[in-house]
């Protein structure tokens, strides 16, 4: 199957700093990527749909100025958590769409102190 | 709007037994896809099986099979001969099919935590 990578796999940062998470499709081109957030023992919550070459589409309730998404190429989408606070601590997962399937990255665990 | 319901928050099953994880869905789309994912404690989402709404045969992938009952809007996952490594969270998900950019997003259920007992 297709491979999606995420970097970093985990990050710890101080409150008020910004953190960038990268999502790459390694062996295919993805015009659409998705960013999810998952709190402990809960399901995945879609944050936004990232389309190459255009602005991301954010789900209701997700602050676009706080969670900046850039999809500059067909293999890379980035999520930047700006001015992170402890409540932003979560597991962030990206996925890339290919045909009828979505291939998920391994996730990034963000801890904000 | 789409909705996925998984009514079993947790299940305990004896090793080597078969297990059925329930999933019901609601959608107004005529064409849709149903997915099951496994999420072990490491957090990665592992794709298990896919069923298209127009597929007449139930999908099977090794020890996994999907019991698709369209009229009842259910898509239960059956795992045969369970193994200790099957212990994980299992998510049912669906998405509309149609190929239009922007309508490919998956809707997930709340998940079922499966624990295999030796």
């Amino acid at each position: 199957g297709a491979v999606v990578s995420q970097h970093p796999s985990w990050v710890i940062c101080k409150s008020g700093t910004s953190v960038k998470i990268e999502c790459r499709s390694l062996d295919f081109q993805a015009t659409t990527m998705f960013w999810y957030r998952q709190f402990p023992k809960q399901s995945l919550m879609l944050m936004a749909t990232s389309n190459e070459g255009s602005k991301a589409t954010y789900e209701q309730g997700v602050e676009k100025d706080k969670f900046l998404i850039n999809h500059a190429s067909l293999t890379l989408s980035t999520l930047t958590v700006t001015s992170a606070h402890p409540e932003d601590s979560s597991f962030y997962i990206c996925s890339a769409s290919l045909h009828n399937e979505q291939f998920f990255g391994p996730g990034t665990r963000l801890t904000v102190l | 709007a789409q909705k996925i319901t998984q009514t079993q928050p947790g299940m305990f099953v004896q090793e080597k037994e078969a297990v059925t994880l329930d999933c019901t869905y609601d959608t107004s789309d005529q064409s849709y896809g149903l997915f099951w994912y496994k999420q072990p404690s490491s957090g990665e989402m592992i794709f298990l099986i896919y069923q298209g709404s127009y597929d007449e045969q139930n999908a099977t992938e090794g020890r996994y099979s999907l019991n698709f009952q369209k009229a009842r809007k259910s898509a239960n996952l059956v795992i045969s001969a369970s193994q200790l490594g099957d212990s994980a969270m299992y998510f049912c998900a669906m998405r509309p099919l149609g190929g239009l950019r922007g309508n490919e997003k998956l809707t997930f259920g709340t998940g079922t935590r499966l624990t295999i007992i030796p």
Side-chain angles (χ1 to χ4, degrees):
Chain A
V3 179
V4 175
S5 70
Q6 268 183 256
H7 178 80
S9 55
W10 59 270
V11 57
I12 302 172
C13 69
K14 291 183 178 180
S15 186
T17 61
S18 294
V19 175
K20 179 185 283 189
I21 303 170
E22 293 185 348
C23 177
R24 293 181 185 273
S25 56
L26 297 185
D27 50 1
F28 67 102
Q29 293 183 330
T31 54
T32 303
M33 290 184 175
F34 302 88
W35 286 96
Y36 297 86
R37 182 175 183 176
Q38 186 180 30
F39 290 107
K41 298 184 179 181
Q42 293 189 22
S43 187
L44 279 71
M45 182 192 77
L46 180 66
M47 299 175 67
T49 303
S50 170
N51 296 304
E52 186 269 336
S54 64
K55 290 183 179 180
T57 302
Y58 289 81
E59 295 298 301
Q60 192 172 8
V62 178
E63 299 175 59
K64 59 181 68 177
D65 293 331
K66 180 165 187 62
F67 298 101
L68 299 178
I69 291 172
N70 183 273
H71 196 155
S73 77
L74 287 171
T75 59
L76 173 65
S77 176
T78 60
L79 167 69
T80 301
V81 184
T82 62
S83 187
H85 288 93
E87 58 265 30
D88 298 324
S89 297
S90 188
F91 191 59
Y92 293 87
I93 310 176
C94 73
S95 71
S97 184
L98 179 64
H99 306 308
N100 282 333
E101 289 189 47
Q102 278 194 26
F103 297 91
F104 285 83
T108 296
R109 191 163 303 281
L110 170 63
T111 302
V112 185
L113 301 177
Chain B
Q2 301 184 321
K3 185 178 180 181
I4 295 282
T5 302
Q6 293 181 255
T7 58
Q8 306 154 310
M11 289 189 70
F12 291 84
V13 173
Q14 204 75 40
E15 188 181 7
K16 299 182 183 177
E17 290 186 351
V19 57
T20 298
L21 304 181
D22 295 340
C23 173
T24 58
Y25 61 91
D26 193 18
T27 181
S28 57
D29 294 293
Q30 293 298 310
S31 181
Y32 50 89
L34 295 154
F35 303 78
W36 276 93
Y37 290 89
K38 172 184 178 181
Q39 187 180 41
S41 56
S42 59
E44 60 186 309
M45 293 290 284
I46 302 169
F47 166 74
L48 296 179
I49 197 166
Y50 166 81
Q51 177 86 42
S53 58
Y54 285 103
D55 293 338
E56 295 185 355
Q57 300 278 346
N58 283 348
T60 60
E61 288 286 349
R63 293 187 300 113
Y64 305 108
S65 60
L66 200 151
N67 184 2
F68 181 46
Q69 298 188 43
K70 193 171 182 178
R72 298 178 64 179
K73 293 189 175 180
S74 73
N76 298 340
L77 176 71
V78 180
I79 306 174
S80 62
S82 58
Q83 303 170 357
L84 295 179
D86 294 333
S87 294
M89 279 290 288
Y90 288 80
F91 291 99
C92 179
M94 74 179 301
R95 56 171 278 195
L97 301 178
L100 295 176
R101 176 183 273 197
N103 77 342
E104 304 167 0
K105 55 186 179 182
L106 281 169
T107 300
F108 283 87
T110 51
T112 296
R113 180 166 296 281
L114 176 64
T115 303
I116 306 300
I117 305 167

